Amino acid sequence: MTKRVELGDFVEAFIGEAEDLLRTLSAKLLATEADLRAGRQNPRAVRDAFRATHTLKGLAAMVGVEPIVAIAHRMESLLRAADDAGGTTTLPAMDLLLRGARELDRRLESVANGKPAQPPPAELIEGLDALDRPEAQRDRGTATRLELDPSIAAKLGALEHEQIARAIADGRRVVRADFTPSPARSEAGLNITSVRERLSRVAEIVKVVPRSVPASEDAPGGLSFALILVPTGTDEEVADAAGVASNELLTLSGGEGARAEPDMPGALPLDAFDEDEEGGRTQRANVVRVEVSRLDDAMERLSALVVARFRMAKAVAQLVERGVDVREVSALLAENGRQLRDMRAAILRVRMVPVAEILERIPLLVRGLRRATGKHVKVMMDAGRAELDKAVAERLFPAIVHLVRNAVDHAIESPDERRAAGKPEEGTLTISCFERSSTQLELTVADDGAGIDRERIAARAGVPVPESDAALLAMLCRPGLSTRAEATTTSGRGMGMDIVKRIAVDELGGEMQLRTRAGHGSAFTLRVPLTISIVESFTFEAGGQRFVVPVSTVEEILELDRTRAVRGPAPDRRERVSLVERRGEVVPVLDLEALFSLPRADPPPGKALLVRRGGEPIAFAVDRMLGQQEVVLRPLEDPLVKRVGIAGATDLGDGRPTLVLDLAALGGAALAGATTEPVG
């Protein structure tokens, strides 16, 4: 039985394409605005923005997201006029266009979340129409004379009628081509997306109207698409792009044979936003979009193979104890381990996204904050070639947004204040990141503002003034703490830094640091794992139980000499603890047996794992190290079993869950006097 094609099947592809187009549009608009402020025009950026907007409008019309169509159509008209004028535009026009890009992004996000897109803001539409008034007042009546099926004509809105009227007024034709999906056409690489891309090179796409048709051999899915076009190429070129015969094109209106020349406004190759600087087209045929859920499934299956290998290794070890010759099996097991590591690396590479791509939306965010706060702020970003697992990136981005909001709203002073302090009126927000190791990313959000006022923060929190940056950061991350007396549209609700800590430290198992200097600015640094699915870990024993800790969080494995340890005070802790000296640094040593109420080891532990919390060292005494291996990390999401310092659980091959520890968080809680539930 043939499956009936549903329009919703195209929405996911639309979202992916639209996100790419919006990134291009935002980047080109921001580049154009920056050049305008510097007294220059940027014709190429204007043209690229026009092409991206045109293509986005066509895609949105195909899946029926009319609010996006309405905004994109008006933006396209402004950009077309600017392109016709050689890239000449104005700052008021750029202001409206950038606001339009933000509204497009919001509506696309709604569609991606399965929610209806909200109607366009009336103020934005009126502003765009006012700037494009001569174009908006063109006679639209001509378009109503189309020889068009009533069911299709009913789907044409005022925007499409306006586009058709303009084409007819310029002496161009309006034609219709029908495309019906089928298995044979799919095998030939023809689907509605590829047809639309091909047609955009030889025609303006006015509207793509999906139509239900009786299921037949020619239309097995019961779906067809009527494409209303204004050709810019020959009939043969249009027909070939649509996958139909030239005699199947239906002329709806306009002069016979009239066509725009290739250099006329309507004849732009509208997929050319993929061109490089030399004008050659970038090949996109070797790019395949894959749902993240499928990558998650592949990682789950790999995780099962990793656990199975643990079990095989344990079985081989038992055979060795019995005196069985397992050299050949051991060699196969070692080769299997190498193959699994290669497979893990390959899957992770597929899941990785450039950090630069994640940060592309930040300049547009800062621009909106500039308008809301009246501050002058420029953004400098350096992501290099750093990449991050998409699952980590999606969790991390909200934390970055909160840090950026705080920097613009709280840290960077107003132009008058900066002038009085002898600073440039324009503040600088710097976002930089790099891969600190093969397993960890370091990202810093810094500003050149006034720095953090410790006394004022302490007064708001009702506590003594913190002496160190680490103590100040801990205070800032208190839930509900806000430095504002009342909430504004950008801050004041006491949720910002608490959310950043929860994401970067609690959820991702990373670290957070603060450096601040009065009058010179602040810098927040986040260190997060590149991936949280399969991690390289140390396995050790304490109090008769096994534990696991990620290698990336351990700075050093110390040989612990109890005879040289002394009892003394540790930061943030009333009770005296064991202290050891390490290269001129005093390190508090905590016992996992005491923290987890486990049996005391005999003899006492001889090794310790050194980690850092806010730059300060903490060591944890362990009975013995068992080895290093890759483990599958299973986060503990249930609030009933989540505890401070426990990042998740794993299976080391014996079917028993083994806890994965976050020693930095555990040490912070222990030194602050927090309690930890006994384990087992």
Side-chain angles (χ1 to χ4, degrees):
M1 184 176 182
T2 304
K3 179 184 176 182
R4 187 175 184 83
V5 180
E6 299 290 343
L7 186 59
D9 298 340
F10 299 98
V11 172
E12 188 172 316
F14 159 72
I15 292 170
E17 290 284 347
E19 286 175 345
D20 289 344
L21 291 168
L22 270 177
R23 279 197 295 268
T24 299
L25 174 61
S26 299
K28 299 303 180 183
L29 291 178
L30 287 167
T32 303
E33 184 189 45
D35 284 336
L36 275 176
R37 294 187 183 280
R40 301 187 299 268
Q41 299 290 339
N42 192 334
R44 183 179 181 86
V46 170
R47 175 164 291 194
D48 288 345
F50 165 57
R51 293 165 175 168
T53 307
H54 177 90
T55 307
L56 176 61
K57 183 186 80 169
L59 283 170
M62 186 178 74
V63 295
V65 188
E66 292 302 327
I68 291 182
V69 175
I71 298 173
H73 176 77
R74 288 167 170 84
M75 292 176 63
E76 178 194 18
S77 295
L78 278 183
L79 289 165
R80 181 193 295 274
D83 186 41
D84 290 348
T88 302
T89 185
T90 64
L91 284 173
M94 293 309 304
D95 183 64
L96 278 172
L97 288 168
L98 283 162
R99 288 172 61 190
R102 286 294 303 276
E103 296 300 334
L104 288 172
D105 185 57
R106 288 170 179 166
R107 278 145 190 80
L108 180 61
E109 184 177 357
S110 295
V111 175
N113 292 331
K115 300 177 182 177
Q118 295 297 313
E123 180 187 0
L124 174 65
I125 296 299
E126 290 171 4
L128 291 169
D129 281 343
L131 285 179
D132 193 37
R133 188 66 64 198
E135 194 72 18
Q137 290 180 347
R138 285 204 175 201
D139 175 30
R140 300 175 183 174
T142 312
T144 62
R145 297 194 295 269
L146 292 178
E147 298 175 5
L148 195 58
D149 186 292
S151 64
I152 298 177
K155 299 291 181 65
L156 298 182
L159 303 179
E160 287 80 22
H161 282 292
E162 179 182 332
Q163 185 176 0
I164 292 169
R166 183 170 55 238
I168 294 175
D170 291 340
R172 293 183 287 166
R173 298 163 58 224
V174 181
V175 303
R176 169 184 165 185
D178 289 343
F179 175 78
T180 303
S182 68
R185 286 183 167 181
S186 295
E187 290 177 4
L190 286 178
N191 54 48
I192 188 58
T193 302
S194 64
V195 166
R196 181 197 59 75
E197 290 178 352
R198 287 152 55 107
L199 279 170
S200 66
R201 304 167 196 167
V202 293
E204 287 186 31
I205 302 176
V206 178
K207 185 81 170 179
V208 180
V209 181
R211 306 170 61 219
S212 296
V213 296
S216 64
E217 185 176 343
D218 293 331
L223 180 68
S224 181
F225 294 90
L227 299 106
I228 312 302
L229 313 166
V230 177
T232 58
T234 65
D235 283 0
E236 289 73 17
E237 290 171 336
V238 173
D240 180 65
V244 300
S246 57
N247 60 2
E248 294 181 44
L249 292 181
L250 301 177
T251 299
L252 303 178
S253 186
E256 181 66 22
R259 284 188 297 272
E261 292 300 320
D263 60 347
M264 292 181 66
L268 293 172
L270 295 173
D271 62 341
F273 59 88
D274 291 325
E275 293 178 352
D276 58 25
E277 291 299 321
E278 287 71 35
R281 294 194 67 240
T282 302
Q283 296 298 321
R284 298 183 63 189
N286 60 346
V287 176
V288 178
R289 293 187 181 276
V290 180
E291 295 178 30
V292 176
S293 60
R294 296 189 181 186
L295 296 177
D296 290 339
D297 182 59
M299 186 63 78
E300 278 293 318
R301 295 177 187 276
L302 174 62
S303 300
L305 290 176
V306 171
V307 173
R309 183 183 176 279
F310 290 165
R311 292 175 178 170
M312 284 192 291
K314 186 174 181 180
V316 169
Q318 291 173 345
L319 291 175
V320 171
E321 292 176 358
R322 298 175 190 170
V324 179
D325 184 1
V326 295
R327 284 175 293 180
E328 187 173 352
V329 176
S330 296
L332 290 173
L333 191 62
E335 177 63 23
N336 175 254
R338 287 190 291 271
Q339 291 173 347
L340 283 177
R341 283 192 296 272
D342 291 343
M343 184 184 297
R344 169 182 176 261
I347 293 177
L348 287 180
R349 280 197 299 272
V350 175
R351 294 177 59 93
M352 302 297 265
V353 295
V355 179
E357 184 177 301
I358 302 167
L359 299 178
E360 281 180 344
R361 297 167 63 185
I362 296 299
L364 204 57
L365 170 66
V366 172
R367 189 181 182 282
L369 292 171
R370 284 202 305 258
R371 290 174 54 85
T373 61
K375 297 178 180 179
H376 301 166
V377 184
K378 65 179 178 182
V379 185
M380 301 181 66
M381 298 191 300
D382 180 16
R385 296 186 176 181
E387 293 184 323
L388 199 59
D389 188 310
K390 184 168 179 63
V392 177
E394 288 179 347
R395 293 193 190 185
L396 185 63
F397 185 73
I400 299 173
V401 169
H402 280 289
L403 290 177
V404 169
R405 285 182 179 275
N406 284 347
V408 177
D409 198 29
H410 293 285
I412 296 178
E413 312 95 326
S414 68
D416 292 341
E417 292 172 328
R418 292 182 65 86
R419 235 184 350 259
K423 296 181 178 181
E425 289 188 9
E426 187 176 50
T428 301
L429 176 66
T430 304
I431 304 176
S432 59
C433 69
F434 64 94
E435 292 182 14
R436 195 178 184 206
S437 67
S438 61
T439 60
Q440 194 176 53
L441 179 89
E442 179 171 305
L443 183 141
T444 300
V445 178
D447 63 74
D448 64 347
I452 300 176
D453 189 333
R454 300 172 187 270
E455 289 76 12
R456 188 165 66 91
I457 298 294
R460 293 282 299 178
V463 297
V465 177
E467 297 181 0
S468 66
D469 287 345
L472 176 60
L473 178 61
M475 184 185 301
L476 289 171
C477 292
R478 288 187 173 189
L481 177 67
S482 175
T483 58
R484 286 194 179 275
E486 57 185 35
T488 68
T489 57
T490 55
S491 63
R493 293 165 179 81
M495 298 185 294
M497 292 308 302
D498 177 37
I499 292 175
V500 175
K501 174 184 176 295
R502 187 172 71 244
I503 293 172
V505 179
D506 300 340
E507 294 182 6
L508 295 178
E511 306 172 54
M512 184 163 59
Q513 287 185 342
L514 166 65
R515 299 188 311 276
T516 185
R517 184 180 171 194
H520 291 78
S522 307
F524 289 87
T525 298
L526 307 179
R527 297 189 184 98
V528 297
L530 297 181
T531 181
I532 54 175
S533 301
I534 300 179
V535 295
E536 191 75 20
S537 301
F538 289 125
T539 307
F540 63 90
E541 193 173 273
Q545 289 204 22
R546 290 180 308 177
F547 297 96
V548 169
V549 61
V551 170
S552 60
T553 64
V554 178
E555 183 173 313
E556 188 176 347
I557 300 176
L558 303 177
E559 293 292 337
L560 198 58
D561 186 352
R562 291 283 184 176
T563 62
R564 302 183 63 181
V566 298
R567 301 287 292 181
D572 304 324
R573 187 175 174 91
R574 295 177 182 175
E575 297 86 357
R576 300 169 70 83
V577 298
S578 294
L579 301 174
V580 297
E581 187 271 338
R582 169 186 169 273
R583 291 193 283 276
E585 197 173 34
V586 177
V587 182
V589 181
L590 303 179
D591 285 314
L592 285 172
E593 292 97 332
L595 292 175
F596 290 144
S597 301
L598 297 173
R600 289 283 182 178
D602 188 23
K607 293 185 181 295
L609 299 176
L610 178 71
V611 299
R612 287 193 180 270
R613 168 185 168 265
E616 299 296 326
I618 306 174
F620 289 85
V622 300
D623 295 348
R624 61 190 180 114
M625 300 299 296
L626 300 178
Q628 179 178 340
Q629 63 195 84
E630 288 183 337
V631 300
V632 179
L633 178 60
R634 307 289 186 188
L636 300 178
E637 302 293 350
D638 191 335
L640 295 177
V641 297
K642 289 183 70 172
R643 291 292 184 272
V644 175
I646 299 177
T650 189
D651 182 354
L652 295 179
D654 56 5
R656 293 187 305 161
T658 301
L659 293 179
V660 181
L661 301 183
D662 180 351
L663 292 181
L666 183 63
L671 292 177
T675 59
T676 304
E677 292 290 325
V679 176

